[in-house]
């Protein structure tokens, strides 16, 4: 299921943990249902919008967060040891952090709560701080346990929740105006920035120093987006460093053509205050011929390191490496090879022709014919700074590739080579000692990510095959009933889902229809989906409340650790009626023959697999010829921040418009299904989607035997 549920109830524990320990920021991660992955659910004191690069962390990633969850105990790290411990490769700044697992009394681990301090924090946690963290974590775990027991498990949303602690005091309107007047009287520039860098206040002096007469032109976006000469990774890196460490930062910037400005950053819980003054000092210029500053390279590399922790498949790894490494090192070409069947296969590339890639794809690893295979064989990097270096050993490569300098780095993990990473230049390039060190370290990060990604891809392919085998390959062609079904996997992240549907002709001439959604996106969810479909088939023909009751008892006995929503309908086409029961699934939409759209009032039963004795009340719906019943899973309607009732209303409007358009063109239910999906803009999907459309036609035709047709 794709929705988030009740995470805001955890806010108070996060706020209490940060305040009681004197921290400046905090995070809550929750384990993804059925997956070895931690998802960022809530963040306080840091910009949630910028946390996307560390919002999804695999449990096998070497970080303090994952160590705390795996070890099931509080873990602490001080600023001086952050990088050595692999604390967070996306944040190479001084700070201290503690991560506490969320473990309820029954021993279930739900995730972790983390608190961040400035680097001035003592080298060890005090007993009082430790107790406060464990109390907050215990309270959050208890709430998570109760929510799950009640059938409403809390899950992380698609976007982390930005937690804002209550203000200790709110100034009056008059006081706020007085504060603005105060900054206007100052001779120096003053700006107020939110946590994400957005300018919310600037005085006239700041506007003049930054090259404008209107302070309002600076508002509503970060300064580095408003002013091109500030849009440099060096400056944005200092902003993040100040935010993470909560320490003031000072740096010089040259405003074109020749005005030096001194920026002083003063961070706080709600943002950063900036002072801007003229300066007689000149910013240090980069060395002549230097293509990228050390800070710029560091930022790119750390962003890559962070992003690789959440890369899902091999193509994600290749894209992230290409996007970050090429500009960081001012290179023009990149190839990522993977080992497969004793050969090197190209997983992805940039800056090469297809002909050049075809020439090297499938290179045998035995008797290495080129440097990529050689470094995999030897497990040692090679750096060739000119065509002369390359011609001496591999004379064909410069002509085939059009490149003039290369870095070949083996990708090795857990004692075996998984591939090779090639970075290349169109002109000779001298690899400095620092560059060689950074590239070698990068290769280690890439190899770990690539190894995880290949395992994921293999599992994903298996799960897709499993899912395809469990969904119906064709729907029965039922006299008197027009049926259409669609299934769309997610296009973002893991596209293995537990959405399912089925249409089952019954011996008495009725038709059973089921649609449902198993929590999670993995092999377990797909397998459980198959068990649910089998259980429904075994009971089909019984009253809907009994079908759901039996299926629920089976899942409760199996105790798979996942919950399932399900909507079951028994349709009597000859009498033009449907009997409906639901287990926590979105209600259907009914389009009447006159074009009205209604949401039938179906009493909701609890999700399947929670309470063995749960009951699922039935309701009868009229289904006259020409009516249309839409069944769907939540991926069709859910959008971040959209109220469920508003989402249902929007779907009803889209169904009405699509049905009217389709009817005007004499379309079938298949036409309506396609038109509805196009109307819903389902190209970019965070969740999978299943839908069924049912429309009774001629009741007399329902006496004819059913046949099968493609779905």
């Amino acid at each position: 299921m794709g929705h988030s549920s009740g995470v805001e109830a955890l806010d108070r524990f996060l706020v209490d943990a940060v305040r009681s320990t004197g921290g400046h920021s905090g995070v809550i991660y929750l384990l993804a249902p059925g997956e070895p992955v931690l998802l960022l659910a809530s963040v306080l004191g840091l910009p949630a919008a910028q946390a996307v690069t560390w919002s999804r962390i695999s449990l096998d990633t070497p970080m303090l967060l994952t160590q705390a969850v795996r070890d099931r105990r509080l873990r602490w790290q001080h600023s001086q040891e952050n990088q050595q411990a692999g604390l967070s490769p996306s944040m190479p700044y001084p700070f201290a952090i503690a991560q506490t697992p969320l473990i309820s009394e029954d021993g279930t681990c739900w995730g972790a709560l983390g608190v961040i301090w400035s680097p001035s924090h003592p080298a060890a946690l005090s007993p009082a701080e430790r107790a406060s963290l464990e109390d907050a974590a215990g309270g959050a775990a208890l709430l998570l346990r109760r929510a799950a027991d009640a059938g409403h498990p809390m899950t992380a949303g698609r976007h982390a929740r930005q937690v804002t602690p209550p203000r200790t005091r709110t100034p009056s309107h008059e006081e706020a105006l007085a504060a603005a007047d105060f900054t206007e009287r100052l001779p120096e520039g003053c700006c107020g920035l939110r946590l994400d860098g957005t300018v919310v206040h600037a005085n006239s002096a700041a506007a003049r120093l930054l090259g404008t007469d209107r302070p309002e032109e600076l508002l509503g976006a970060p300064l580095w987006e408003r002013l091109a000469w500030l849009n440099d990774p060096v400056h944005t890196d200092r902003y993040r460093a100040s935010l993470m460490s909560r320490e003031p930062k000072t740096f010089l910037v040259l405003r074109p053509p020749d005005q030096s400005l001194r920026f002083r950053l003063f961070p706080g819980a709600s943002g950063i205050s900036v002072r801007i003054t003229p300066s007689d000092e000149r910013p240090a210029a980069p060395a002549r011929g230097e293509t990228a500053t050390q800070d710029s390279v560091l930022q790119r590399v750390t962003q890559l390191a962070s992003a690789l922790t959440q890369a899902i498949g091999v193509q994600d790894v290749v894209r992230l490496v290409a996007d970050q490494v090429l500009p960081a090192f001012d290179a023009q070409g990149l190839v990522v090879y993977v080992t497969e069947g004793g050969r090197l296969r190209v997983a992805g590339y940039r800056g090469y022709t297809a002909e050049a890639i075809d020439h090297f794809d499938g290179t045998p690893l035995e008797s290495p014919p080129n440097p990529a295979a050689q470094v995999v064989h030897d497990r040692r990097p090679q750096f060739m700074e000119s065509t002369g270096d390359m011609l001496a050993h591999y004379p064909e490569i410069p002509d085939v590739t059009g490149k003039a300098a290369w870095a070949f780095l083996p990708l090795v993990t857990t004692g075996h080579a998984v591939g090779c990473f090639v970075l290349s230049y169109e002109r000779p390039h001298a690899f400095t000692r620092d560059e060689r060190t950074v590239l070698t370290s990068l290769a280690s990060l890439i190899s770990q990510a690539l190894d995880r990604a290949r395992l994921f891809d293999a599992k994903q392919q298996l799960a897709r095959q499993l899912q395809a085998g469990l969904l119906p390959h064709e729907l029965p062609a039922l006299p008197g009933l027009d049926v259409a079904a669609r299934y769309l996997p997610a296009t973002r992240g893991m596209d293995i889902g537990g959405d399912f549907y089925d249409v089952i002709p019954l011996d008495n001439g009725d038709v059973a229809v089921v649609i449902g959604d198993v929590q999670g996106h993995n092999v377990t969810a797909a397998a459980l989906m198959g068990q649910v479909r089998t259980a429904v088939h075994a009971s089909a023909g019984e009253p809907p409340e009994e079908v759901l009751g039996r299926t629920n008892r089976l899942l409760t006995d199996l105790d798979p650790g996942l919950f399932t929503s399900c909507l079951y309908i028994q349709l009597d086409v000859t009498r033009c009626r449907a009997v409906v029961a639901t287990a926590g699934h979105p209600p259907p939409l009914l389009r009447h023959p006159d074009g009205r759209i209604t949401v039938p009032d179906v009493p909701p039963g609890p999700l399947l697999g929670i309470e063995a004795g749960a009951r699922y009340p039935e309701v009868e719906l009229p289904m006259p010829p020409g009516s249309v019943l839409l069944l769907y899973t939540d991926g069709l309607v859910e959008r971040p921040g959209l109220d469920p009732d508003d989402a249902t209303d929007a779907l009803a409007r889209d169904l009405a418009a699509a049905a009217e358009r389709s009817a005007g063109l004499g379309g079938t239910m298949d036409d309506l299904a396609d038109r509805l999906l196009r109307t819903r803009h389902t190209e970019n999907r965070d969740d999978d989607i299943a839908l069924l459309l049912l429309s009774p036609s001629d009741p007399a035709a329902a006496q004819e035997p059913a046949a099968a047709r493609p779905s």
Side-chain angles (χ1 to χ4, degrees), residues 27 188 272 349 403 677 686 697:
V27 293
E188 60 193 35
I272 287 185
Y349 65 94
K403 299 296 189 287
L677 288 176
D686 293 300
S697 53

Side-chain angles (χ1 to χ4, degrees), residues 334-367:
L334 177 145
V335 183
V336 176
Y337 291 98
V338 295
T339 56
E340 185 178 294
R343 294 178 178 272
L344 281 180
R345 295 293 182 184
V346 176
Y349 65 94
R350 294 271 181 92
Y352 284 84
T353 65
E355 291 77 15
I357 293 301
D358 288 342
H359 183 83
F360 297 108
D361 193 17
T363 296
L365 290 172
E366 294 183 2
S367 303

